[in-house]
């Protein structure tokens, strides 16, 4: 374990490591001592070198007379083995694959039940629309949960949220499998949706914890593929399983998969959130040395825990409604998510109702969609290689907008696939047209989703989980609504024009990445929350440190703003 790095320059007082709820004085230092450093872990988990001579920061605890405490700011040193970004690539890839598989299972659970809606309808004697409600409330849970769990993960850490929410989800799958009425199914599916939403939201933050900007492209592609492969595989497995064993086994298979990933993520994946790791280190140092001066930046926050939680709870909503980038990217992802869930209702209409296929055969029609997703994910090394060239071109500091290039190239695949699906879906035509239409749609999904996630993470890196939660919130409500009105839309507009309407919607959204390519940098410059630093450690020489000196005060202001202001 690396020794704690003494901070330099004046600093506001910090709260002791105790249950004392007294309020502490807090001031922003008017200036920073020459040669001082400030490592803002809340912004980028920085590993910049600390240049001697170190000067301890001092503060006075409010309410305690004549008390002055010396500070030692606990940060990651260059090459620190406790810094997740310094872990071995093999270990980081293991964690990446575990969380990606978890996302696959969550997405699988959201779609597998669409294979036998008729079985639920028949068992409980309800309408077809009522039988669709368990699917819809699950997706609504995807939108509600992240607004709670993402901010909590930025206060409590990732690991405790992963473990607790997945366990809750596993437990509430059981009542779904043995439900005696539609009410039990709806309520338990809603709880499962909320609980399962945590992994889908936290993965982006976990990858930001593990990988630097130039490394993140391929891991993000692995994560981005999971939410689309899962829904494509769900109807494939579910169709044959429901034909053979009935709709209740669609829940037992969820229980098996969910329990396996809960064991993996709970017992093999460590904490990756830097502020949480540093807080544990500071607490251990205080205990070992008896010196309460070991603190982290987050512990400079003078407010009680409950007040901080309240601030973090509203952060995703602030990003969604105050940040144009988050809002428009979220709307675009909502359209894509709606198209995906529309397929779960539209495919049975086209292939079962119109062509008379069984649920199992209809599930096979999702294979091109899954193949398109896999092909897109397979292209990610080339995309990442191109990004690395842009990193070198910009001297290691490329603007976030370069992440939009794959989005600008691939956005056209979605409307193309949808138009093919629309106008080849006549009952008298072969199944090949609407089936293969899923290939370009699946191919476009990953490029768009991956680019959007990378753009949000690069733009709001220190609040990546909250930015992704905001996106998930709005897209999930749209996806839930699509499930409920797709059948009526196809009945009233006709198969061809209903699909064409969604294709035109996707075509209109193609303007969004081009808009941010031109104006994104200016928007981020005026943003309150956009990230303004870099992950790359600087060379450990005095000259480079002096070049960064004029940023120290801004670093401190940003760090204090992050932990103290909504």
């Amino acid at each position: 374990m690396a020794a704690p790095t003494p901070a330099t320059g004046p600093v506001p007082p910090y709260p002791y490591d105790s249950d004392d709820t007294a309020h502490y004085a807090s001031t922003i230092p008017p200036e920073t001592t020459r040669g001082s450093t400030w490592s803002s872990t809340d912004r980028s988990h920085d590993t910049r070198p600390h240049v001697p001579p170190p000067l301890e920061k001092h503060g006075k605890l409010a309410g305690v007379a004549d008390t002055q405490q010396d500070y030692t700011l606990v940060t990651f040193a260059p090459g620190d083995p406790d810094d997740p970004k310094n872990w071995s690539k093999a270990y980081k890839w293991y964690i990446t694959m575990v969380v990606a598989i978890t996302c696959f299972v969550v997405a699988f659970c959201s779609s597998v039940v669409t294979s036998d809606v008729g079985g639920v309808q028949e068992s409980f004697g309800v309408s077809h629309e009522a039988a669709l409600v368990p699917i819809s409330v699950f997706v609504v849970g995807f939108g509600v949960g992240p607004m709670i769990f993402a901010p909590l993960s930025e206060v409590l850490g990732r690991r405790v949220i992963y473990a607790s929410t997945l366990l809750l989800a596993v437990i509430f799958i059981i009542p779904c499998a043995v439900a005696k009425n539609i009410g039990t199914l709806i309520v338990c599916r809603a709880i499962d949706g909320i609980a399962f939403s945590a992994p889908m939201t936290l993965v982006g933050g976990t990858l930001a914890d593990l990988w630097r900007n130039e490394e993140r492209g391929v891991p993000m592609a692995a994560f981005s593929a999971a939410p689309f492969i899962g829904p494509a595989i769900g109807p494939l497995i579910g169709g044959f399983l429901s034909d053979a064993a009935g709709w209740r086994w669609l829940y037992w298979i969820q229980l098996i998969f969910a329990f396996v990933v809960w064991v993996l993520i709970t017992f093999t994946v460590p904490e990756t959130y830097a502020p949480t790791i540093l807080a544990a280190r500071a607490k251990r140092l205080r205990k070992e040395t008896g010196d309460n001066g070991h603190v982290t930046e987050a512990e400079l926050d003078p407010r009680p825990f409950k007040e901080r939680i309240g601030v973090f709870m509203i952060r995703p909503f602030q990003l969604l409604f105050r940040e144009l980038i988050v809002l428009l990217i979220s709307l675009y992802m909502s359209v894509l998510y709606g198209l995906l869930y529309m397929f779960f209702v539209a495919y049975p209409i086209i292939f079962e109702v119109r062509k008379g296929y069984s649920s199992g055969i209809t599930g096979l029609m999702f294979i091109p969609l899954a193949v398109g997703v896999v092909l897109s994910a397979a292209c990610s090394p080339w995309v990442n290689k191109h990004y690395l060239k842009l990193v070198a071109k910009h001297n290691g500091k490329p603007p976030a907008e370069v992440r939009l290039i794959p989005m600008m190239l691939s956005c056209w695949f979605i409307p193309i696939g949808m138009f093919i699906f629309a106008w080849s879906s006549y009952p008298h035509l072969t199944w090949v047209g609407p089936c293969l239409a899923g290939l370009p749609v699946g191919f476009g999904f990953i490029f768009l989703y991956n680019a959007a996630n990378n753009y949000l993470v690069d733009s709001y890196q220190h609040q990546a989980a909250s930015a992704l939660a905001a996106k998930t919130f709005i897209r999930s409500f749209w996806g839930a609504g699509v499930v409920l009105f797709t059948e009526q839309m196809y009945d009233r507009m006709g198969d061809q024009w209903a699909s064409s309407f969604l294709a035109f919607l996707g075509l209109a959204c193609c303007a969004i990445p081009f808009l941010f390519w031109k104006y994104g940098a200016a928007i981020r410059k005026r943003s309150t929350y956009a990230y303004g630093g870099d992950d790359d450690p600087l060379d450990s020489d005095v000259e480079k440190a002096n070049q960064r000196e004029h940023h120290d005060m801004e670093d401190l202001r940003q760090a204090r703003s992050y932990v103290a202001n909504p």
Side-chain angles (χ1 to χ4, degrees):
M1 182 187 73
T5 306
T8 60
V11 70
Y14 69 98
Y16 280 23
D17 182 39
S18 70
D19 295 329
D20 186 8
T21 57
H23 295 282
Y24 299 91
S26 176
T27 58
I28 299 295
E31 62 183 4
T32 304
T33 304
R34 180 172 180 81
S36 66
T37 61
W38 181 273
S39 178
S40 178
T41 57
D42 280 60
R43 295 178 61 208
S44 62
H45 313 154
D46 204 351
T47 56
R48 70 182 63 166
H50 299 271
V51 180
L55 298 176
E56 292 183 329
K57 294 184 176 182
H58 296 284
K60 182 173 288 186
L61 182 65
V64 181
D66 299 326
T67 299
Q68 181 166 291
Q69 177 70 39
D70 291 333
Y71 297 87
T72 302
L73 193 62
V74 179
T75 64
F76 288 133
D80 195 322
D82 287 343
D83 185 351
K85 288 185 171 65
N86 293 327
W87 294 348
S88 70
K89 280 195 173 182
Y91 191 41
K92 291 194 289 186
W93 265 111
Y94 171 77
I95 295 172
T96 298
M97 294 311 299
V98 168
V99 295
I101 290 171
T102 302
C103 285
F104 166 82
V105 170
V106 171
F108 173 87
C109 292
S110 73
S111 67
V112 67
V113 297
T114 63
S115 303
D116 197 4
V117 176
V120 175
Q121 181 181 355
E122 182 179 346
S123 294
F124 298 139
V126 297
S127 67
H128 186 72
E129 289 75 14
L132 287 171
V133 172
I135 302 171
S136 186
V137 296
F138 187 93
V139 181
V140 168
F142 272 9
V144 174
M147 310 308 279
I148 302 171
F149 300 131
L152 279 177
S153 78
E154 293 175 346
V155 177
L156 303 177
R158 318 287 191 206
R159 189 181 187 189
V160 65
I161 304 298
Y162 276 126
S164 59
T165 55
L166 280 173
L167 179 60
L168 183 67
V170 168
I171 292 172
F172 276 91
I173 291 174
I174 299 173
C176 294
V178 299
K180 301 299 182 183
N181 54 68
I182 190 67
T184 301
L185 195 58
I186 291 173
V187 171
C188 293
R189 282 290 285 179
I191 295 173
D192 269 339
I194 294 172
F196 269 136
S197 68
M200 299 290 280
T201 306
L202 299 189
V203 170
T206 299
L207 298 186
D209 297 340
L210 293 171
W211 304 93
R212 292 183 172 86
N213 281 6
E214 68 274 12
E215 303 173 321
R216 197 178 298 133
V218 177
M220 189 65 81
F223 155 56
S224 299
F228 295 104
I229 295 178
I233 299 299
L236 175 60
I237 295 177
F240 289 106
L241 185 61
S242 61
D243 285 345
W247 67 269
R248 293 186 186 275
W249 263 98
L250 300 178
Y251 290 96
W252 292 123
I253 192 69
Q254 292 179 54
L255 180 65
I256 295 170
F257 286 178
F259 179 76
V260 170
V261 296
W262 173 74
V263 170
L264 287 175
I265 208 164
T266 301
F267 298 105
T268 69
V269 175
E271 180 58 63
T272 62
Y273 190 46
T276 302
I277 296 172
L278 291 173
R281 174 185 286 187
K283 184 176 181 179
R284 184 170 62 252
L285 288 171
R286 289 192 290 266
K287 183 178 179 180
E288 292 174 354
T289 65
D291 179 9
N292 283 332
H294 297 287
V295 295
T296 65
E297 289 171 6
E299 290 172 323
L300 297 175
D301 193 343
R303 300 163 306 160
F305 177 76
K306 290 183 179 179
E307 185 178 345
R308 285 194 295 141
I309 285 290
V311 170
F312 280 98
M313 287 293 185
I314 65 172
R315 183 65 49 80
F317 292 99
Q318 291 173 320
L319 291 172
L320 180 60
F321 296 112
R322 292 184 180 180
E323 296 293 313
L324 184 63
I325 290 174
V326 177
L327 177 61
L328 291 184
I329 291 293
S330 298
L331 290 175
Y332 195 0
M333 294 302 102
S334 298
V335 171
L336 298 183
Y337 207 61
L339 292 177
L340 181 65
Y341 277 87
M342 181 211 74
F343 281 163
F344 301 145
V345 181
Y347 271 45
I349 292 174
I350 299 300
F351 295 108
E352 291 185 38
V353 177
R354 307 290 191 256
K355 298 184 182 294
Y357 295 167
S358 66
S359 296
I361 298 300
T362 300
L364 293 174
M365 301 298 114
F366 284 90
I367 290 178
L369 181 66
V371 171
V373 170
V374 172
L375 288 176
S376 181
C379 293
S380 59
W382 286 274
V383 175
N384 197 55
K385 185 177 181 181
H386 178 258
Y387 176 73
L388 292 178
K389 290 181 179 179
L390 294 176
V391 170
K393 180 180 178 181
H394 291 87
N395 298 318
K397 300 178 183 179
E401 283 66 37
V402 300
R403 295 290 195 180
L404 296 172
I405 295 175
M407 184 180 286
M408 292 188 291
L409 295 175
S410 63
C411 61
W412 313 104
F413 285 97
I414 303 296
I416 289 173
M418 287 304 302
F419 280 123
I420 294 173
F421 181 80
W423 297 101
S424 64
S425 60
Y426 287 100
H428 63 275
L429 295 180
T430 180
W431 55 270
V432 175
C435 177
L436 293 183
L439 185 65
V441 172
F443 188 80
F445 269 151
I446 292 303
F447 275 111
L448 291 171
Y449 197 74
N450 189 27
N453 283 337
N454 278 316
Y455 186 50
L456 287 179
V457 169
D458 285 4
S459 297
Y460 303 92
Q461 186 176 130
H462 58 304
Q463 297 176 85
S466 290
L468 294 174
K471 178 201 68 175
T472 304
F473 175 79
I474 192 169
R475 82 171 191 195
S476 295
F477 275 88
W478 174 250
V482 164
V483 171
L484 295 177
F485 68 70
T486 296
E487 188 171 355
Q488 291 84 347
M489 183 174 70
Y490 271 75
D491 287 342
R492 296 182 181 182
M493 297 181 66
D495 297 347
Q496 289 69 45
W497 283 108
S499 298
S500 295
F501 169 74
L502 295 171
F504 281 119
L505 194 60
L507 188 62
C509 289
C510 290
I512 291 176
F514 292 92
L515 174 69
F516 287 134
W517 176 260
K518 184 173 183 179
Y519 301 108
I523 293 172
R524 288 187 295 108
K525 187 176 181 179
R526 292 192 293 268
S527 169
T528 305
Y529 303 101
Y531 173 69
D534 63 78
D535 280 327
D536 300 325
L538 300 173
D539 297 331
S540 54
D541 57 86
V542 175
E543 180 180 354
K544 184 64 67 87
N546 287 337
Q547 291 175 0
R548 293 294 300 268
E549 179 184 323
H550 69 280
H551 292 300
D552 287 346
M553 190 60 218
E554 176 64 15
D555 288 345
L556 176 58
R557 186 193 68 77
Q558 288 278 8
R560 294 288 297 159
S561 174
Y562 174 60
V563 299
N565 297 322

